[in-house]
Amino acid sequence: MSIQSTTDKLIEMRMTSMTDGFCTQVNDPKMKDVSFEDRFALVDIEYNNRKSNSLKRLIRNAGFDQPEAHISDIDYTSGRKLNRSLIEKLASCDYITNHRNFFITGATGSGKTYLACALGMEACKQRYKTKYIRLPDLLLELEMARNDGTYKKVQAKYANPVLLIIDEWLLLKPNESEQHDILELLHRRRKKSSTIFCSQYDSSGWYDQLGGDDRPLAEAIIDRIKYDGYTVNIIPIDPANYKSMREVYGMDPALSE
């Protein structure tokens, strides 16, 4: 088999890194003294490159609000009560394997979004398809999809990811149509995927945000998500002297948490 033929086949199979390595070896006289096993390490180069590209693609498609978030960079010393052992346990992604949900609650600027994105990054590293979305954006997208005939497609877009992060959960009270959208989505995800909910409201206040006794779907929505979820409630150790995480990191107040 000729060198050109081998190169062409590698290119056809889209083995870019292996092709580059092969061409380098062919043009380097010193490689003649290298063992076959060492030269065949081109497979490792191709493999590692594909894994790296796969991770980059998962992170890009997740649409994280804070793609720089990392578990190791979580600040446990800035005046917040954080359950470090629980967060480290969640970073293993066992909750995803067990199809359990996770609730992050706390005031504006407490770092909910950063924590959620950091956990989402860990999910991507374990090759779990992940998606981030703000609830207001999700509901608007579903409303537009209903009008242009793509409703099922958009529902699937958020129902299918193994991990879905819903930020600004119940920040605004959803109307009846929006509650139907939320219930349908959560029903499709129940017991076969995991969802992280970030909310300024403690979970005890979600029923009222959904309209309480006046809205028949309120209880059904709560039932779909709270049966076995983990909870991290981010609260200040000293409320009188508390600084938001935006202030701690010198972030623009207009940016998300």
Side-chain angles (χ1 to χ4, degrees):
M1 183 182 296
S2 69
I3 292 175
Q4 187 59 52
S5 175
T6 299
T7 302
D8 291 342
K9 288 176 181 178
L10 288 171
I11 293 174
E12 184 179 342
M13 291 187 290
R14 298 182 180 179
M15 294 183 174
T16 307
S17 297
M18 200 166 182
T19 303
D20 293 340
F22 177 70
C23 291
T24 298
Q25 289 190 9
V26 168
N27 296 316
D28 186 354
K30 296 179 181 179
M31 294 304 298
K32 293 179 180 180
D33 299 325
V34 178
S35 68
F36 173 80
E37 289 78 9
D38 289 339
R39 295 185 69 170
F40 206 60
L42 292 174
V43 173
D44 292 331
I45 296 174
E46 181 68 32
Y47 176 78
N48 292 332
N49 185 63
R50 290 196 175 199
K51 284 196 69 173
S52 176
N53 288 341
S54 172
L55 176 58
K56 290 177 182 177
R57 187 162 51 250
L58 281 169
I59 294 172
R60 182 176 64 251
N61 292 341
F64 293 122
D65 179 76
Q66 297 185 26
E68 77 288 350
H70 197 282
I71 286 293
S72 64
D73 292 333
I74 292 175
D75 190 334
Y76 294 94
T77 63
S78 56
R80 301 178 297 169
K81 290 182 180 179
L82 283 177
N83 188 334
R84 185 168 192 159
S85 62
L86 175 58
I87 292 173
E88 290 176 348
K89 177 182 179 181
L90 292 167
S92 71
C93 296
D94 283 348
Y95 71 102
I96 298 178
T97 304
N98 297 320
H99 310 314
R100 298 181 66 175
N101 295 326
F102 177 37
F103 314 111
I104 306 175
T105 59
T108 298
S110 60
K112 301 185 298 294
T113 300
Y114 187 94
L115 175 56
C117 289
L119 290 169
M121 289 288 291
E122 294 304 306
C124 288
K125 291 176 183 177
Q126 296 198 30
R127 298 305 185 269
Y128 289 120
K129 184 178 180 182
T130 303
K131 189 69 179 174
Y132 169 94
I133 188 71
R134 296 170 58 252
L135 183 60
D137 292 337
L138 170 62
L139 296 176
L140 178 60
E141 191 172 344
L142 287 169
E143 180 183 356
M144 294 172 62
R146 184 183 291 105
N147 295 331
D148 63 21
T150 61
Y151 185 80
K152 289 185 177 180
K153 181 178 180 180
V154 174
Q155 270 281 2
K157 175 181 175 182
Y158 296 104
N160 293 338
V162 178
L163 176 63
L164 177 65
I165 300 172
I166 304 181
D167 206 352
E168 297 185 9
W169 170 249
L170 301 181
L171 179 62
L172 303 174
K173 292 183 177 181
N175 59 38
E176 188 172 349
S177 175
E178 292 171 337
Q179 285 194 11
H180 277 283
D181 292 338
I182 292 172
L183 180 61
E184 174 64 20
L185 175 62
L186 297 179
H187 180 75
R188 293 181 62 177
R189 295 185 55 78
R190 189 181 188 187
K191 296 185 178 180
K192 63 179 182 181
S193 53
S194 297
T195 306
I196 295 178
F197 299 87
C198 301
S199 178
Q200 292 184 20
Y201 293 93
D202 184 84
S203 57
S204 61
W206 293 355
Y207 184 70
D208 290 336
Q209 280 299 102
L210 288 166
D213 296 337
D214 295 331
R215 292 284 181 85
L217 295 182
E219 187 173 349
I221 291 173
I222 297 298
D223 178 67
R224 294 299 189 282
I225 61 178
K226 288 188 64 176
Y227 55 94
D228 64 350
Y230 292 101
T231 299
V232 169
N233 184 22
I234 305 175
I235 57 177
I237 296 174
D238 181 6
N241 298 306
Y242 177 69
K243 291 184 178 180
S244 76
M245 296 310 294
R246 295 171 182 167
E247 188 176 355
V248 170
Y249 290 115
M251 295 173 62
D252 186 333
L255 298 177
S256 60
E257 297 173 61

